[in-house]
Amino acid sequence: LTFLGMGSDSIIWIGTQNGLIFRDGRGFHNRDIVQNRRIGYTSWFQREPDGTLLAGTNGGILKITGTSVAMLLPFCSTAHSEGTGREHWLGDAHGGIWWWKQGQLRQVPLTIPSHDFVNCLYMDARENLWIGYRQSGIKIFHRVRDSLACIKAFDIDHGYTNFRIRSFREDGKGNLLVGTRTSGLFIFS
């Protein structure tokens, strides 16, 4: 199990290392190939306003409607956050950050790039993009025209040793919960 998602039809989708499993009224069903392409590892789900479910996988970004799965974009993303303008921010296994909206995908330059695996992303209300890296902590960026400028870092250079980020979750009270692999839970207010 890598991730859980639910469409508006209440069908539960389970992301795995080898694809997707869904549960409906008749039981569990496996999906590991879409349009002749292996799905592989599932990194994220995002429920869209129309009730469809997007899934980020090694095989690409998938659109799930009911029990139907279609390939939207053959792009391997490891992390996702929705922006304030309904755009999608994506991370990749090599530290890249991508902007995706209305079928357009483009890489966004970072003022302080990293080559570390992007494990999670979070776009806050001030339009700051928090990037959680597998091995090298957190960097917070603000959008400046067509690039992202680093405004804060929580990494080894700033006293955060062995800070391996796994997840971001907003608590609804203005706090960001940060789950780590090695250092427990952190709360940013």
Side-chain angles (χ1 to χ4, degrees), residues 1-5 12-22 29-34 37-45 55-60 62 64 69 71:
L1 169 72
T2 60
F3 224 88
L4 291 173
I12 296 171
W13 286 85
I14 302 166
T16 73
Q17 293 182 3
N18 298 311
L20 301 169
I21 298 171
F22 70 91
H29 310 277
N30 186 43
R31 294 280 192 272
D32 58 358
I33 296 177
V34 172
R37 197 176 169 112
R38 284 215 169 277
I39 293 173
Y41 192 94
T42 303
S43 297
W44 57 267
F45 285 111
T57 73
N58 281 0
L62 310 177
I64 301 169
V69 180
M71 179 68 65

PDB file of all heavy atoms in Angstrom, residues 1-5 12-22 29-34 37-45 55-60 62 64 69 71:
ATOM      1  N   LEU A   1       0.840  -1.178   0.000  1.00  0.00           N
ATOM      2  CA  LEU A   1       0.000   0.000   0.000  1.00  0.00           C
ATOM      3  C   LEU A   1       0.889   1.245   0.000  1.00  0.00           C
ATOM      4  O   LEU A   1       1.742   1.398   0.864  1.00  0.00           O
ATOM      5  CB  LEU A   1      -0.896  -0.021   1.239  1.00  0.00           C
ATOM      6  CG  LEU A   1      -1.655   1.257   1.544  1.00  0.00           C
ATOM      7  CD1 LEU A   1      -2.776   1.461   0.544  1.00  0.00           C
ATOM      8  CD2 LEU A   1      -2.207   1.196   2.943  1.00  0.00           C
ATOM      9  N   THR A   2       0.688   2.114  -0.977  1.00  0.00           N
ATOM     10  CA  THR A   2       1.460   3.353  -1.029  1.00  0.00           C
ATOM     11  C   THR A   2       0.593   4.587  -0.841  1.00  0.00           C
ATOM     12  O   THR A   2       1.077   5.608  -0.364  1.00  0.00           O
ATOM     13  CB  THR A   2       2.209   3.483  -2.367  1.00  0.00           C
ATOM     14  OG1 THR A   2       1.257   3.483  -3.437  1.00  0.00           O
ATOM     15  CG2 THR A   2       3.213   2.349  -2.547  1.00  0.00           C
ATOM     16  N   PHE A   3      -0.679   4.512  -1.252  1.00  0.00           N
ATOM     17  CA  PHE A   3      -1.558   5.678  -1.153  1.00  0.00           C
ATOM     18  C   PHE A   3      -3.004   5.225  -1.252  1.00  0.00           C
ATOM     19  O   PHE A   3      -3.294   4.202  -1.871  1.00  0.00           O
ATOM     20  CB  PHE A   3      -1.248   6.667  -2.287  1.00  0.00           C
ATOM     21  CG  PHE A   3      -1.190   8.095  -1.845  1.00  0.00           C
ATOM     22  CD1 PHE A   3      -0.010   8.643  -1.378  1.00  0.00           C
ATOM     23  CD2 PHE A   3      -2.317   8.901  -1.876  1.00  0.00           C
ATOM     24  CE1 PHE A   3       0.054   9.955  -0.951  1.00  0.00           C
ATOM     25  CE2 PHE A   3      -2.269  10.223  -1.452  1.00  0.00           C
ATOM     26  CZ  PHE A   3      -1.074  10.756  -0.995  1.00  0.00           C
ATOM     27  N   LEU A   4      -3.930   6.000  -0.656  1.00  0.00           N
ATOM     28  CA  LEU A   4      -5.362   5.721  -0.733  1.00  0.00           C
ATOM     29  C   LEU A   4      -6.079   6.895  -1.385  1.00  0.00           C
ATOM     30  O   LEU A   4      -5.716   8.046  -1.163  1.00  0.00           O
ATOM     31  CB  LEU A   4      -5.957   5.513   0.658  1.00  0.00           C
ATOM     32  CG  LEU A   4      -5.549   4.266   1.412  1.00  0.00           C
ATOM     33  CD1 LEU A   4      -6.084   4.314   2.836  1.00  0.00           C
ATOM     34  CD2 LEU A   4      -6.064   3.022   0.703  1.00  0.00           C
ATOM     35  N   GLY A   5      -7.106   6.587  -2.169  1.00  0.00           N
ATOM     36  CA  GLY A   5      -7.920   7.619  -2.776  1.00  0.00           C
ATOM     37  C   GLY A   5      -9.357   7.170  -2.892  1.00  0.00           C
ATOM     38  O   GLY A   5      -9.647   5.970  -2.853  1.00  0.00           O
ATOM     39  N   ILE A  12     -13.197   2.989  -3.512  1.00  0.00           N
ATOM     40  CA  ILE A  12     -11.896   3.144  -2.868  1.00  0.00           C
ATOM     41  C   ILE A  12     -10.812   2.637  -3.805  1.00  0.00           C
ATOM     42  O   ILE A  12     -10.893   1.528  -4.331  1.00  0.00           O
ATOM     43  CB  ILE A  12     -11.855   2.371  -1.538  1.00  0.00           C
ATOM     44  CG1 ILE A  12     -12.869   2.961  -0.557  1.00  0.00           C
ATOM     45  CG2 ILE A  12     -10.445   2.405  -0.940  1.00  0.00           C
ATOM     46  CD1 ILE A  12     -13.060   2.134   0.693  1.00  0.00           C
ATOM     47  N   TRP A  13      -9.790   3.453  -4.009  1.00  0.00           N
ATOM     48  CA  TRP A  13      -8.636   3.089  -4.826  1.00  0.00           C
ATOM     49  C   TRP A  13      -7.415   2.977  -3.929  1.00  0.00           C
ATOM     50  O   TRP A  13      -7.186   3.827  -3.063  1.00  0.00           O
ATOM     51  CB  TRP A  13      -8.400   4.120  -5.922  1.00  0.00           C
ATOM     52  CG  TRP A  13      -9.415   3.992  -7.012  1.00  0.00           C
ATOM     53  CD1 TRP A  13     -10.663   4.549  -7.051  1.00  0.00           C
ATOM     54  CD2 TRP A  13      -9.277   3.225  -8.198  1.00  0.00           C
ATOM     55  NE1 TRP A  13     -11.309   4.176  -8.200  1.00  0.00           N
ATOM     56  CE2 TRP A  13     -10.481   3.367  -8.924  1.00  0.00           C
ATOM     57  CE3 TRP A  13      -8.263   2.434  -8.729  1.00  0.00           C
ATOM     58  CZ2 TRP A  13     -10.687   2.746 -10.153  1.00  0.00           C
ATOM     59  CZ3 TRP A  13      -8.461   1.824  -9.953  1.00  0.00           C
ATOM     60  CH2 TRP A  13      -9.668   1.978 -10.651  1.00  0.00           C
ATOM     61  N   ILE A  14      -6.640   1.935  -4.149  1.00  0.00           N
ATOM     62  CA  ILE A  14      -5.434   1.682  -3.370  1.00  0.00           C
ATOM     63  C   ILE A  14      -4.243   1.722  -4.319  1.00  0.00           C
ATOM     64  O   ILE A  14      -4.213   0.991  -5.309  1.00  0.00           O
ATOM     65  CB  ILE A  14      -5.509   0.295  -2.686  1.00  0.00           C
ATOM     66  CG1 ILE A  14      -6.749   0.228  -1.780  1.00  0.00           C
ATOM     67  CG2 ILE A  14      -4.231   0.013  -1.903  1.00  0.00           C
ATOM     68  CD1 ILE A  14      -7.100  -1.170  -1.332  1.00  0.00           C
ATOM     69  N   GLY A  15      -3.299   2.595  -4.021  1.00  0.00           N
ATOM     70  CA  GLY A  15      -2.060   2.627  -4.781  1.00  0.00           C
ATOM     71  C   GLY A  15      -1.100   1.604  -4.199  1.00  0.00           C
ATOM     72  O   GLY A  15      -0.998   1.460  -2.981  1.00  0.00           O
ATOM     73  N   THR A  16      -0.397   0.893  -5.075  1.00  0.00           N
ATOM     74  CA  THR A  16       0.571  -0.110  -4.634  1.00  0.00           C
ATOM     75  C   THR A  16       1.887   0.124  -5.357  1.00  0.00           C
ATOM     76  O   THR A  16       2.009   1.019  -6.182  1.00  0.00           O
ATOM     77  CB  THR A  16       0.075  -1.543  -4.929  1.00  0.00           C
ATOM     78  OG1 THR A  16       0.157  -1.787  -6.338  1.00  0.00           O
ATOM     79  CG2 THR A  16      -1.345  -1.765  -4.438  1.00  0.00           C
ATOM     80  N   GLN A  17       2.854  -0.719  -5.086  1.00  0.00           N
ATOM     81  CA  GLN A  17       4.137  -0.644  -5.785  1.00  0.00           C
ATOM     82  C   GLN A  17       4.028  -1.144  -7.221  1.00  0.00           C
ATOM     83  O   GLN A  17       4.896  -0.874  -8.034  1.00  0.00           O
ATOM     84  CB  GLN A  17       5.186  -1.440  -5.031  1.00  0.00           C
ATOM     85  CG  GLN A  17       5.507  -0.829  -3.692  1.00  0.00           C
ATOM     86  CD  GLN A  17       6.590  -1.578  -2.950  1.00  0.00           C
ATOM     87  OE1 GLN A  17       7.168  -2.536  -3.437  1.00  0.00           O
ATOM     88  NE2 GLN A  17       6.887  -1.129  -1.743  1.00  0.00           N
ATOM     89  N   ASN A  18       2.942  -1.846  -7.537  1.00  0.00           N
ATOM     90  CA  ASN A  18       2.796  -2.447  -8.869  1.00  0.00           C
ATOM     91  C   ASN A  18       1.581  -1.965  -9.637  1.00  0.00           C
ATOM     92  O   ASN A  18       1.261  -2.529 -10.674  1.00  0.00           O
ATOM     93  CB  ASN A  18       2.731  -3.977  -8.737  1.00  0.00           C
ATOM     94  CG  ASN A  18       4.000  -4.523  -8.142  1.00  0.00           C
ATOM     95  OD1 ASN A  18       5.087  -4.188  -8.587  1.00  0.00           O
ATOM     96  ND2 ASN A  18       3.866  -5.346  -7.118  1.00  0.00           N
ATOM     97  N   GLY A  19       0.875  -0.962  -9.150  1.00  0.00           N
ATOM     98  CA  GLY A  19      -0.304  -0.476  -9.853  1.00  0.00           C
ATOM     99  C   GLY A  19      -1.398  -0.046  -8.908  1.00  0.00           C
ATOM    100  O   GLY A  19      -1.141   0.496  -7.839  1.00  0.00           O
ATOM    101  N   LEU A  20      -2.636  -0.331  -9.312  1.00  0.00           N
ATOM    102  CA  LEU A  20      -3.805   0.119  -8.573  1.00  0.00           C
ATOM    103  C   LEU A  20      -4.722  -1.054  -8.252  1.00  0.00           C
ATOM    104  O   LEU A  20      -4.815  -2.009  -9.025  1.00  0.00           O
ATOM    105  CB  LEU A  20      -4.604   1.120  -9.410  1.00  0.00           C
ATOM    106  CG  LEU A  20      -3.893   2.387  -9.858  1.00  0.00           C
ATOM    107  CD1 LEU A  20      -4.726   3.115 -10.894  1.00  0.00           C
ATOM    108  CD2 LEU A  20      -3.623   3.282  -8.666  1.00  0.00           C
ATOM    109  N   ILE A  21      -5.404  -0.940  -7.136  1.00  0.00           N
ATOM    110  CA  ILE A  21      -6.452  -1.882  -6.763  1.00  0.00           C
ATOM    111  C   ILE A  21      -7.660  -1.034  -6.396  1.00  0.00           C
ATOM    112  O   ILE A  21      -7.527   0.001  -5.738  1.00  0.00           O
ATOM    113  CB  ILE A  21      -6.033  -2.750  -5.551  1.00  0.00           C
ATOM    114  CG1 ILE A  21      -4.803  -3.590  -5.904  1.00  0.00           C
ATOM    115  CG2 ILE A  21      -7.182  -3.624  -5.075  1.00  0.00           C
ATOM    116  CD1 ILE A  21      -4.185  -4.305  -4.707  1.00  0.00           C
ATOM    117  N   PHE A  22      -8.847  -1.458  -6.837  1.00  0.00           N
ATOM    118  CA  PHE A  22     -10.041  -0.748  -6.392  1.00  0.00           C
ATOM    119  C   PHE A  22     -11.032  -1.730  -5.798  1.00  0.00           C
ATOM    120  O   PHE A  22     -11.002  -2.920  -6.083  1.00  0.00           O
ATOM    121  CB  PHE A  22     -10.678   0.071  -7.523  1.00  0.00           C
ATOM    122  CG  PHE A  22     -11.336  -0.728  -8.609  1.00  0.00           C
ATOM    123  CD1 PHE A  22     -12.690  -1.061  -8.530  1.00  0.00           C
ATOM    124  CD2 PHE A  22     -10.626  -1.127  -9.723  1.00  0.00           C
ATOM    125  CE1 PHE A  22     -13.310  -1.775  -9.536  1.00  0.00           C
ATOM    126  CE2 PHE A  22     -11.224  -1.842 -10.743  1.00  0.00           C
ATOM    127  CZ  PHE A  22     -12.575  -2.174 -10.649  1.00  0.00           C
ATOM    128  N   HIS A  29     -10.342  -5.421  -7.262  1.00  0.00           N
ATOM    129  CA  HIS A  29      -9.941  -5.612  -8.658  1.00  0.00           C
ATOM    130  C   HIS A  29      -8.600  -4.913  -8.879  1.00  0.00           C
ATOM    131  O   HIS A  29      -8.370  -3.820  -8.366  1.00  0.00           O
ATOM    132  CB  HIS A  29     -10.992  -5.022  -9.599  1.00  0.00           C
ATOM    133  CG  HIS A  29     -12.381  -5.476  -9.282  1.00  0.00           C
ATOM    134  ND1 HIS A  29     -12.896  -6.666  -9.730  1.00  0.00           N
ATOM    135  CD2 HIS A  29     -13.346  -4.902  -8.517  1.00  0.00           C
ATOM    136  CE1 HIS A  29     -14.132  -6.803  -9.279  1.00  0.00           C
ATOM    137  NE2 HIS A  29     -14.434  -5.740  -8.536  1.00  0.00           N
ATOM    138  N   ASN A  30      -7.749  -5.532  -9.679  1.00  0.00           N
ATOM    139  CA  ASN A  30      -6.400  -5.037  -9.922  1.00  0.00           C
ATOM    140  C   ASN A  30      -6.304  -4.352 -11.284  1.00  0.00           C
ATOM    141  O   ASN A  30      -6.882  -4.814 -12.264  1.00  0.00           O
ATOM    142  CB  ASN A  30      -5.429  -6.227  -9.865  1.00  0.00           C
ATOM    143  CG  ASN A  30      -3.997  -5.781  -9.953  1.00  0.00           C
ATOM    144  OD1 ASN A  30      -3.610  -4.809  -9.334  1.00  0.00           O
ATOM    145  ND2 ASN A  30      -3.207  -6.512 -10.718  1.00  0.00           N
ATOM    146  N   ARG A  31      -5.563  -3.227 -11.331  1.00  0.00           N
ATOM    147  CA  ARG A  31      -5.212  -2.569 -12.599  1.00  0.00           C
ATOM    148  C   ARG A  31      -3.702  -2.337 -12.559  1.00  0.00           C
ATOM    149  O   ARG A  31      -3.223  -1.565 -11.743  1.00  0.00           O
ATOM    150  CB  ARG A  31      -5.908  -1.217 -12.736  1.00  0.00           C
ATOM    151  CG  ARG A  31      -7.401  -1.268 -12.853  1.00  0.00           C
ATOM    152  CD  ARG A  31      -7.832  -1.616 -14.283  1.00  0.00           C
ATOM    153  NE  ARG A  31      -9.237  -1.399 -14.478  1.00  0.00           N
ATOM    154  CZ  ARG A  31     -10.182  -2.282 -14.231  1.00  0.00           C
ATOM    155  NH1 ARG A  31      -9.867  -3.461 -13.744  1.00  0.00           N
ATOM    156  NH2 ARG A  31     -11.434  -2.004 -14.469  1.00  0.00           N
ATOM    157  N   ASP A  32      -2.976  -3.018 -13.449  1.00  0.00           N
ATOM    158  CA  ASP A  32      -1.530  -2.807 -13.475  1.00  0.00           C
ATOM    159  C   ASP A  32      -1.012  -2.337 -14.833  1.00  0.00           C
ATOM    160  O   ASP A  32       0.143  -1.964 -14.958  1.00  0.00           O
ATOM    161  CB  ASP A  32      -0.772  -4.049 -13.009  1.00  0.00           C
ATOM    162  CG  ASP A  32      -1.068  -5.283 -13.838  1.00  0.00           C
ATOM    163  OD1 ASP A  32      -1.900  -5.221 -14.765  1.00  0.00           O
ATOM    164  OD2 ASP A  32      -0.464  -6.321 -13.548  1.00  0.00           O
ATOM    165  N   ILE A  33      -1.883  -2.320 -15.841  1.00  0.00           N
ATOM    166  CA  ILE A  33      -1.506  -1.831 -17.171  1.00  0.00           C
ATOM    167  C   ILE A  33      -2.608  -0.907 -17.687  1.00  0.00           C
ATOM    168  O   ILE A  33      -3.791  -1.210 -17.566  1.00  0.00           O
ATOM    169  CB  ILE A  33      -1.291  -3.002 -18.155  1.00  0.00           C
ATOM    170  CG1 ILE A  33      -0.116  -3.862 -17.690  1.00  0.00           C
ATOM    171  CG2 ILE A  33      -1.071  -2.496 -19.579  1.00  0.00           C
ATOM    172  CD1 ILE A  33       0.143  -5.084 -18.539  1.00  0.00           C
ATOM    173  N   VAL A  34      -2.203   0.239 -18.244  1.00  0.00           N
ATOM    174  CA  VAL A  34      -3.130   1.170 -18.880  1.00  0.00           C
ATOM    175  C   VAL A  34      -2.560   1.526 -20.237  1.00  0.00           C
ATOM    176  O   VAL A  34      -1.408   1.962 -20.335  1.00  0.00           O
ATOM    177  CB  VAL A  34      -3.320   2.451 -18.026  1.00  0.00           C
ATOM    178  CG1 VAL A  34      -4.117   3.490 -18.778  1.00  0.00           C
ATOM    179  CG2 VAL A  34      -3.993   2.118 -16.708  1.00  0.00           C
ATOM    180  N   ARG A  37       0.840   0.193 -21.071  1.00  0.00           N
ATOM    181  CA  ARG A  37       1.927   0.748 -20.272  1.00  0.00           C
ATOM    182  C   ARG A  37       1.763   0.296 -18.822  1.00  0.00           C
ATOM    183  O   ARG A  37       0.681   0.439 -18.243  1.00  0.00           O
ATOM    184  CB  ARG A  37       1.858   2.268 -20.376  1.00  0.00           C
ATOM    185  CG  ARG A  37       3.077   2.989 -19.980  1.00  0.00           C
ATOM    186  CD  ARG A  37       2.872   4.480 -20.240  1.00  0.00           C
ATOM    187  NE  ARG A  37       3.943   5.211 -19.622  1.00  0.00           N
ATOM    188  CZ  ARG A  37       4.869   5.859 -20.279  1.00  0.00           C
ATOM    189  NH1 ARG A  37       4.831   5.911 -21.586  1.00  0.00           N
ATOM    190  NH2 ARG A  37       5.823   6.478 -19.649  1.00  0.00           N
ATOM    191  N   ARG A  38       2.835  -0.221 -18.230  1.00  0.00           N
ATOM    192  CA  ARG A  38       2.792  -0.626 -16.821  1.00  0.00           C
ATOM    193  C   ARG A  38       2.578   0.594 -15.938  1.00  0.00           C
ATOM    194  O   ARG A  38       3.230   1.621 -16.121  1.00  0.00           O
ATOM    195  CB  ARG A  38       4.090  -1.311 -16.407  1.00  0.00           C
ATOM    196  CG  ARG A  38       4.193  -2.703 -16.917  1.00  0.00           C
ATOM    197  CD  ARG A  38       4.910  -3.581 -15.889  1.00  0.00           C
ATOM    198  NE  ARG A  38       4.769  -4.968 -16.264  1.00  0.00           N
ATOM    199  CZ  ARG A  38       3.710  -5.719 -15.975  1.00  0.00           C
ATOM    200  NH1 ARG A  38       2.723  -5.225 -15.295  1.00  0.00           N
ATOM    201  NH2 ARG A  38       3.647  -6.969 -16.353  1.00  0.00           N
ATOM    202  N   ILE A  39       1.705   0.453 -14.971  1.00  0.00           N
ATOM    203  CA  ILE A  39       1.424   1.548 -14.049  1.00  0.00           C
ATOM    204  C   ILE A  39       2.563   1.699 -13.044  1.00  0.00           C
ATOM    205  O   ILE A  39       3.060   2.787 -12.807  1.00  0.00           O
ATOM    206  CB  ILE A  39       0.081   1.323 -13.323  1.00  0.00           C
ATOM    207  CG1 ILE A  39      -1.071   1.421 -14.330  1.00  0.00           C
ATOM    208  CG2 ILE A  39      -0.100   2.324 -12.194  1.00  0.00           C
ATOM    209  CD1 ILE A  39      -2.423   1.058 -13.762  1.00  0.00           C
ATOM    210  N   GLY A  40       2.968   0.613 -12.423  1.00  0.00           N
ATOM    211  CA  GLY A  40       4.052   0.663 -11.446  1.00  0.00           C
ATOM    212  C   GLY A  40       3.649   1.358 -10.162  1.00  0.00           C
ATOM    213  O   GLY A  40       2.477   1.390  -9.778  1.00  0.00           O
ATOM    214  N   TYR A  41       4.617   1.933  -9.488  1.00  0.00           N
ATOM    215  CA  TYR A  41       4.458   2.563  -8.175  1.00  0.00           C
ATOM    216  C   TYR A  41       3.486   3.739  -8.243  1.00  0.00           C
ATOM    217  O   TYR A  41       3.594   4.596  -9.123  1.00  0.00           O
ATOM    218  CB  TYR A  41       5.821   3.049  -7.685  1.00  0.00           C
ATOM    219  CG  TYR A  41       5.853   3.462  -6.242  1.00  0.00           C
ATOM    220  CD1 TYR A  41       6.237   2.552  -5.267  1.00  0.00           C
ATOM    221  CD2 TYR A  41       5.518   4.747  -5.856  1.00  0.00           C
ATOM    222  CE1 TYR A  41       6.285   2.918  -3.926  1.00  0.00           C
ATOM    223  CE2 TYR A  41       5.557   5.127  -4.527  1.00  0.00           C
ATOM    224  CZ  TYR A  41       5.943   4.206  -3.563  1.00  0.00           C
ATOM    225  OH  TYR A  41       5.984   4.570  -2.249  1.00  0.00           O
ATOM    226  N   THR A  42       2.554   3.806  -7.300  1.00  0.00           N
ATOM    227  CA  THR A  42       1.607   4.915  -7.204  1.00  0.00           C
ATOM    228  C   THR A  42       2.076   5.861  -6.101  1.00  0.00           C
ATOM    229  O   THR A  42       2.193   5.460  -4.948  1.00  0.00           O
ATOM    230  CB  THR A  42       0.183   4.413  -6.897  1.00  0.00           C
ATOM    231  OG1 THR A  42      -0.201   3.477  -7.915  1.00  0.00           O
ATOM    232  CG2 THR A  42      -0.806   5.558  -6.844  1.00  0.00           C
ATOM    233  N   SER A  43       2.336   7.123  -6.465  1.00  0.00           N
ATOM    234  CA  SER A  43       2.863   8.116  -5.518  1.00  0.00           C
ATOM    235  C   SER A  43       1.796   8.999  -4.894  1.00  0.00           C
ATOM    236  O   SER A  43       1.970   9.476  -3.781  1.00  0.00           O
ATOM    237  CB  SER A  43       3.871   9.021  -6.217  1.00  0.00           C
ATOM    238  OG  SER A  43       4.972   8.281  -6.669  1.00  0.00           O
ATOM    239  N   TRP A  44       0.714   9.271  -5.629  1.00  0.00           N
ATOM    240  CA  TRP A  44      -0.286  10.212  -5.122  1.00  0.00           C
ATOM    241  C   TRP A  44      -1.628  10.042  -5.819  1.00  0.00           C
ATOM    242  O   TRP A  44      -1.706   9.509  -6.916  1.00  0.00           O
ATOM    243  CB  TRP A  44       0.195  11.655  -5.233  1.00  0.00           C
ATOM    244  CG  TRP A  44       0.575  12.099  -6.621  1.00  0.00           C
ATOM    245  CD1 TRP A  44       1.832  12.057  -7.165  1.00  0.00           C
ATOM    246  CD2 TRP A  44      -0.274  12.630  -7.649  1.00  0.00           C
ATOM    247  NE1 TRP A  44       1.820  12.530  -8.457  1.00  0.00           N
ATOM    248  CE2 TRP A  44       0.526  12.893  -8.775  1.00  0.00           C
ATOM    249  CE3 TRP A  44      -1.629  12.918  -7.728  1.00  0.00           C
ATOM    250  CZ2 TRP A  44       0.015  13.425  -9.956  1.00  0.00           C
ATOM    251  CZ3 TRP A  44      -2.144  13.447  -8.905  1.00  0.00           C
ATOM    252  CH2 TRP A  44      -1.316  13.704  -9.994  1.00  0.00           C
ATOM    253  N   PHE A  45      -2.687  10.515  -5.137  1.00  0.00           N
ATOM    254  CA  PHE A  45      -4.029  10.665  -5.699  1.00  0.00           C
ATOM    255  C   PHE A  45      -4.474  12.100  -5.468  1.00  0.00           C
ATOM    256  O   PHE A  45      -4.128  12.717  -4.463  1.00  0.00           O
ATOM    257  CB  PHE A  45      -5.044   9.755  -4.991  1.00  0.00           C
ATOM    258  CG  PHE A  45      -4.961   8.302  -5.346  1.00  0.00           C
ATOM    259  CD1 PHE A  45      -4.527   7.383  -4.419  1.00  0.00           C
ATOM    260  CD2 PHE A  45      -5.329   7.849  -6.592  1.00  0.00           C
ATOM    261  CE1 PHE A  45      -4.463   6.039  -4.715  1.00  0.00           C
ATOM    262  CE2 PHE A  45      -5.268   6.507  -6.911  1.00  0.00           C
ATOM    263  CZ  PHE A  45      -4.833   5.591  -5.976  1.00  0.00           C
ATOM    264  N   ALA A  55      -4.172  10.086 -10.537  1.00  0.00           N
ATOM    265  CA  ALA A  55      -3.176   9.267  -9.848  1.00  0.00           C
ATOM    266  C   ALA A  55      -1.819   9.503 -10.491  1.00  0.00           C
ATOM    267  O   ALA A  55      -1.687   9.441 -11.715  1.00  0.00           O
ATOM    268  CB  ALA A  55      -3.546   7.789  -9.927  1.00  0.00           C
ATOM    269  N   GLY A  56      -0.828   9.764  -9.666  1.00  0.00           N
ATOM    270  CA  GLY A  56       0.548   9.896 -10.136  1.00  0.00           C
ATOM    271  C   GLY A  56       1.259   8.566  -9.946  1.00  0.00           C
ATOM    272  O   GLY A  56       1.345   8.054  -8.834  1.00  0.00           O
ATOM    273  N   THR A  57       1.759   8.008 -11.046  1.00  0.00           N
ATOM    274  CA  THR A  57       2.398   6.688 -11.013  1.00  0.00           C
ATOM    275  C   THR A  57       3.690   6.714 -11.811  1.00  0.00           C
ATOM    276  O   THR A  57       3.947   7.657 -12.565  1.00  0.00           O
ATOM    277  CB  THR A  57       1.474   5.606 -11.617  1.00  0.00           C
ATOM    278  OG1 THR A  57       1.416   5.767 -13.039  1.00  0.00           O
ATOM    279  CG2 THR A  57       0.067   5.678 -11.039  1.00  0.00           C
ATOM    280  N   ASN A  58       4.480   5.647 -11.695  1.00  0.00           N
ATOM    281  CA  ASN A  58       5.688   5.531 -12.523  1.00  0.00           C
ATOM    282  C   ASN A  58       5.341   5.505 -14.004  1.00  0.00           C
ATOM    283  O   ASN A  58       6.108   5.966 -14.835  1.00  0.00           O
ATOM    284  CB  ASN A  58       6.464   4.269 -12.166  1.00  0.00           C
ATOM    285  CG  ASN A  58       7.281   4.419 -10.904  1.00  0.00           C
ATOM    286  OD1 ASN A  58       7.283   5.462 -10.276  1.00  0.00           O
ATOM    287  ND2 ASN A  58       7.971   3.368 -10.523  1.00  0.00           N
ATOM    288  N   GLY A  59       4.186   4.970 -14.334  1.00  0.00           N
ATOM    289  CA  GLY A  59       3.761   4.888 -15.732  1.00  0.00           C
ATOM    290  C   GLY A  59       3.224   6.176 -16.290  1.00  0.00           C
ATOM    291  O   GLY A  59       3.151   6.360 -17.495  1.00  0.00           O
ATOM    292  N   GLY A  60       2.820   7.097 -15.421  1.00  0.00           N
ATOM    293  CA  GLY A  60       2.283   8.374 -15.865  1.00  0.00           C
ATOM    294  C   GLY A  60       1.187   8.870 -14.950  1.00  0.00           C
ATOM    295  O   GLY A  60       0.897   8.274 -13.913  1.00  0.00           O
ATOM    296  N   LEU A  62      -2.648   9.352 -14.349  1.00  0.00           N
ATOM    297  CA  LEU A  62      -3.844   8.644 -14.783  1.00  0.00           C
ATOM    298  C   LEU A  62      -5.092   9.393 -14.354  1.00  0.00           C
ATOM    299  O   LEU A  62      -5.108  10.058 -13.322  1.00  0.00           O
ATOM    300  CB  LEU A  62      -3.868   7.240 -14.176  1.00  0.00           C
ATOM    301  CG  LEU A  62      -2.598   6.406 -14.332  1.00  0.00           C
ATOM    302  CD1 LEU A  62      -2.754   5.076 -13.608  1.00  0.00           C
ATOM    303  CD2 LEU A  62      -2.269   6.198 -15.793  1.00  0.00           C
ATOM    304  N   ILE A  64      -9.004   8.608 -13.348  1.00  0.00           N
ATOM    305  CA  ILE A  64      -9.880   7.523 -12.935  1.00  0.00           C
ATOM    306  C   ILE A  64     -11.298   8.062 -12.839  1.00  0.00           C
ATOM    307  O   ILE A  64     -11.568   9.011 -12.105  1.00  0.00           O
ATOM    308  CB  ILE A  64      -9.439   6.952 -11.570  1.00  0.00           C
ATOM    309  CG1 ILE A  64      -7.994   6.436 -11.658  1.00  0.00           C
ATOM    310  CG2 ILE A  64     -10.396   5.874 -11.109  1.00  0.00           C
ATOM    311  CD1 ILE A  64      -7.369   6.098 -10.321  1.00  0.00           C
ATOM    312  N   VAL A  69      -9.863   3.557 -16.074  1.00  0.00           N
ATOM    313  CA  VAL A  69      -8.570   4.223 -15.891  1.00  0.00           C
ATOM    314  C   VAL A  69      -8.012   4.582 -17.272  1.00  0.00           C
ATOM    315  O   VAL A  69      -7.940   3.734 -18.161  1.00  0.00           O
ATOM    316  CB  VAL A  69      -7.564   3.308 -15.149  1.00  0.00           C
ATOM    317  CG1 VAL A  69      -6.230   4.012 -14.971  1.00  0.00           C
ATOM    318  CG2 VAL A  69      -8.128   2.867 -13.808  1.00  0.00           C
ATOM    319  N   MET A  71      -4.840   7.015 -19.408  1.00  0.00           N
ATOM    320  CA  MET A  71      -3.588   7.758 -19.322  1.00  0.00           C
ATOM    321  C   MET A  71      -3.834   9.207 -19.734  1.00  0.00           C
ATOM    322  O   MET A  71      -4.343   9.472 -20.814  1.00  0.00           O
ATOM    323  CB  MET A  71      -2.552   7.133 -20.252  1.00  0.00           C
ATOM    324  CG  MET A  71      -1.205   7.825 -20.270  1.00  0.00           C
ATOM    325  SD  MET A  71      -0.283   7.671 -18.736  1.00  0.00           S
ATOM    326  CE  MET A  71       0.026   5.918 -18.707  1.00  0.00           C
TER     327      MET A  71
END
